Amino acid sequence: MSDLTSAGTAVGGAPVGGEGPSSGSAADGKERSASLWADARRQLLRDPIFVIASLYVLVVGSMAAFPMLWTSQDPRNCNTDRSRISPSGEHPFGFDILGCDYYAHAIYGAWPSMVIAVMATSGIVLFGGTLGLLAGYYGGWVDTIISRVMDIFFSLPFLLGAIVFLTVIKRQNIWTITAVLFLLAWPSIARIIRGSVISSKDLDYVQAAKAVGARNSRLMFRHILPNAIAPMLVYATIVLGSFVAAEATLTFLGVGLQQPAQSWGIMISTHQVYFLEDPWLLLFPCGLLVGTVLSFILMGDALRDALDPKFR
């Protein structure tokens, strides 16, 4: 996950906030911030890659949240007499090895991947972002302790660490996989936020707010944190796709979700041996997985370009 850190650190924000004698500077900062986000929004709406990727993610999200909108078939209604029947007009993905409707399985398989990705990403944003904010703002022994803890977790190989943890836990479900991904990924976003806070806390508008008696909490959340939101959003968008891929990878390796759960990783793992005979059994779930991961990455790249003035 450390390779994603550079994607977040490339994004900058405009100064916001200010009070007291610096009211003019504060107004300028708020105006620049509003202009930054307004310009970014216009650029994103004009970017066809971002629009297409966003629409794809919305489709997959609706599949996960409202599968009945996409299929009336029950993915657990199986009949071995229909095993590996090829796709047809009535059943566009055909039937799997157990004779279950493969299209329904693919639709319902979006739910665990998206839920794990959203929960794990939310966790690292809240926890890692808070620790990064504290480390960057207070510095000193607070920064030292948090940074050393981050270094310990950075030393753990992501995939190997996830495999070891899930093997030791011996309970593979949505909650344990989410917990493991969160545990191994939070230091990356903490480091991004820490660096952004360090670069912002000594700016003039922050010092002006401090001079007129603003509390630490107000300085952090009103004046400094808004500058850290941009790189955090970029990283969070990219890591969503990484977590979708991570869930499928762990499931494929046998330490993730287990049957009778339904996920794209299970579909790939179960039908990999039939690729030469019935390649569609592997191509359909792989296509959905690759499309989802790629869409999140493209959205993150477009968001980074829109929020960083250097790319304009």
Side-chain angles (χ1 to χ4, degrees):
M1 304 298 293
S2 60
D3 58 328
L4 295 178
T5 305
S6 58
T9 55
V11 182
V16 297
E19 45 183 75
S22 319
S23 58
S25 177
D28 292 342
K30 293 179 181 178
E31 183 178 350
R32 287 193 298 269
S33 178
S35 176
L36 172 68
W37 289 99
D39 291 344
R41 182 173 62 253
R42 286 192 293 268
Q43 181 173 333
L44 290 174
L45 292 177
R46 291 196 298 263
D47 187 346
I49 295 179
F50 178 83
V51 173
I52 293 173
S54 300
L55 290 176
Y56 188 94
V57 169
L58 287 176
V59 168
V60 174
S62 67
M63 289 164 51
F66 309 104
M68 297 301 295
L69 295 178
W70 292 89
T71 179
S72 59
Q73 299 290 329
D74 184 353
R76 291 190 173 90
N77 182 18
C78 307
N79 186 342
T80 53
D81 293 338
R82 303 178 299 188
S83 178
R84 295 163 58 191
I85 294 180
S86 301
S88 62
E90 187 177 357
H91 301 278
F93 285 13
F95 293 88
D96 64 10
I97 184 64
L98 297 177
C100 310
D101 186 87
Y102 211 45
Y103 174 74
H105 195 169
I107 296 297
Y108 281 85
W111 184 79
S113 298
M114 295 298 290
V115 168
I116 289 173
V118 169
M119 289 197 303
T121 302
S122 300
I124 67 171
V125 166
L126 294 175
F127 183 76
T130 300
L131 289 185
L133 179 62
L134 294 175
Y137 181 79
Y138 286 106
W141 64 269
V142 176
D143 185 23
T144 299
I145 293 176
I146 294 176
S147 295
R148 295 298 77 77
V149 173
M150 287 193 293
D151 290 339
I152 292 173
F153 282 92
F154 272 126
S155 66
L156 299 173
F158 183 80
L159 183 58
L160 179 60
I163 293 174
V164 171
F165 282 133
L166 288 171
T167 301
V168 171
I169 295 173
K170 295 182 179 179
R171 295 183 62 183
Q172 290 85 26
N173 54 48
I174 288 177
W175 299 106
T176 55
I177 295 174
T178 300
V180 168
L181 295 178
F182 159 77
L183 187 66
L184 294 172
W186 71 264
S188 295
I189 203 164
R191 177 167 289 182
I192 291 173
I193 299 300
R194 173 183 175 273
S196 182
V197 171
I198 289 175
S199 64
S200 301
K201 68 178 183 179
D202 292 327
L203 295 177
D204 291 341
Y205 71 95
V206 177
Q207 295 302 316
K210 185 183 297 185
V212 297
R215 298 186 302 273
N216 287 333
S217 59
R218 181 178 178 84
L219 289 172
M220 286 189 292
F221 293 101
R222 179 69 181 274
H223 301 286
I224 296 177
L225 185 58
N227 281 333
I229 288 180
M232 185 166 59
L233 286 177
V234 172
Y235 180 82
T237 304
I238 296 176
V239 84
L240 275 167
S242 299
F243 283 155
V244 171
E247 181 277 320
T249 301
L250 294 172
T251 299
F252 180 82
L253 295 175
V255 295
L257 297 174
Q258 307 293 323
Q259 292 182 339
Q262 298 159 343
S263 78
W264 296 334
I266 290 177
M267 296 172 70
I268 295 171
S269 176
T270 303
H271 300 97
Q272 58 175 319
V273 296
Y274 302 106
F275 178 70
L276 295 180
E277 302 172 20
D278 302 300
W280 48 271
L281 289 172
L282 204 60
L283 293 178
F284 285 134
C286 285
L288 289 169
L289 177 64
V290 171
T292 303
V293 176
L294 181 61
S295 294
F296 278 120
I297 293 175
L298 292 176
M299 287 174 62
D301 287 343
L303 192 59
R304 178 201 60 197
D305 295 347
L307 292 174
D308 193 340
K310 294 193 298 291
F311 287 93
R312 299 183 183 178

